Amino acid sequence: MNNEKTGILIRRLRRERNMTQKQVADALHVSDRAVSKWERGCGLPDVSLLRGLSAVLGADMQSILSGDLNQNDTDGGNMKRIKLYRCASCGNILTSTSDAELSCCGRLLEPLEVQSAAGEHVLSVEEIEDEYYVQLDHPMEKGHHIAFVACATDERIVLVRMYPEQGAQARFPRMPRSTWYACCTEHGLFSFQHI
């Protein structure tokens, strides 16, 4: 940690929000001299204040401590570069289209590693009128089932969550030139292209 870099970032974020040192101090129940000390690089906020400071300044705690926002490169919104995350504790599904630091249930999540679909993880995609009917030949048991199926194109993603003891099937709007994903609770994320 570099006190000076952290201080410069705190000042920058405070000014972006058009706040005075006193307003930040009042929100955190500290003196404005403490905020001034941080901004000058003469000290760091106490660890008990980091969550509140993060909320007041609109930046994550890690960025504040490192003194750097680490902005992502613009990716043009290409949904085919999507990263999918699944919380092992509660099953929540999260997505991002570029580098992100996501957490759920108090734990940092890693993006699911994509594998080529094979065996019971191969999707059967059938066109019916203006929709796709998708199904997998998967056991769908309580401890081992497909958690979700998703279809991504350059401009959007459609995700259908699935549950154990149901059929592994769903309907999707017709989306040509798409990438399909199926997430198995035991084996991970699988994908394949559909023209």
Side-chain angles (χ1 to χ4, degrees):
M1 287 183 283
N2 182 321
N3 291 8
E4 193 173 317
K5 283 179 70 176
T6 297
I8 290 168
L9 181 61
I10 290 172
R11 181 174 51 247
R12 179 179 141 205
L13 294 170
R14 176 182 60 81
R15 287 180 175 170
E16 284 177 5
R17 294 195 167 234
N18 295 319
M19 294 179 78
T20 64
Q21 288 179 344
K22 175 115 177 79
Q23 289 171 319
V24 172
D26 289 346
L28 298 172
H29 307 292
V30 298
S31 71
D32 55 343
R33 287 204 269 173
V35 176
S36 173
K37 185 171 103 175
W38 304 336
E39 289 185 1
R40 289 182 285 121
C42 298
L44 291 170
D46 186 78
V47 72
S48 64
L49 299 172
L50 288 177
R51 186 177 303 267
L53 184 62
S54 173
V56 168
L57 298 178
D60 64 82
M61 293 184 279
Q62 183 66 34
S63 294
I64 291 172
L65 289 175
S66 70
D68 189 12
L69 289 179
N70 293 328
Q71 294 185 351
N72 292 327
D73 295 332
T74 303
D75 66 5
N78 189 337
M79 295 298 286
K80 285 192 176 181
R81 294 186 193 144
I82 196 156
K83 294 180 182 175
L84 299 159
Y85 303 77
R86 183 173 181 274
C87 178
S89 299
C90 69
N92 277 344
I93 302 161
L94 304 160
T95 64
S96 70
T97 56
S98 59
D99 291 334
E101 189 173 284
L102 303 176
S103 63
C104 188
C105 296
R107 293 186 174 95
L108 285 175
L109 301 178
E110 292 293 324
L112 296 170
E113 232 176 273
V114 181
Q115 309 166 55
S116 294
E120 62 188 10
H121 302 108
V122 173
L123 288 166
S124 164
V125 180
E126 186 180 336
E127 287 187 45
I128 300 175
E129 296 175 3
D130 62 343
E131 290 185 318
Y132 289 136
Y133 176 71
V134 178
Q135 71 180 56
L136 292 96
D137 185 25
H138 197 279
M140 297 299 284
E141 298 163 350
K142 192 163 189 154
H144 179 212
H145 63 277
I146 298 297
F148 67 86
V149 173
C151 179
T153 65
D154 287 339
E155 54 197 31
R156 67 180 168 156
I157 184 167
V158 176
L159 187 140
V160 175
R161 186 147 185 185
M162 297 188 171
Y163 299 93
E165 300 168 4
Q166 286 183 332
Q169 54 201 19
R171 288 187 178 266
F172 285 82
R174 192 168 181 280
M175 296 167 39
R177 294 177 304 284
S178 50
T179 302
W180 289 87
Y181 298 94
C183 179
C184 175
T185 57
E186 196 171 297
H187 299 106
L189 186 66
F190 296 89
S191 77
F192 78 96
Q193 300 288 319
H194 185 273
I195 306 301

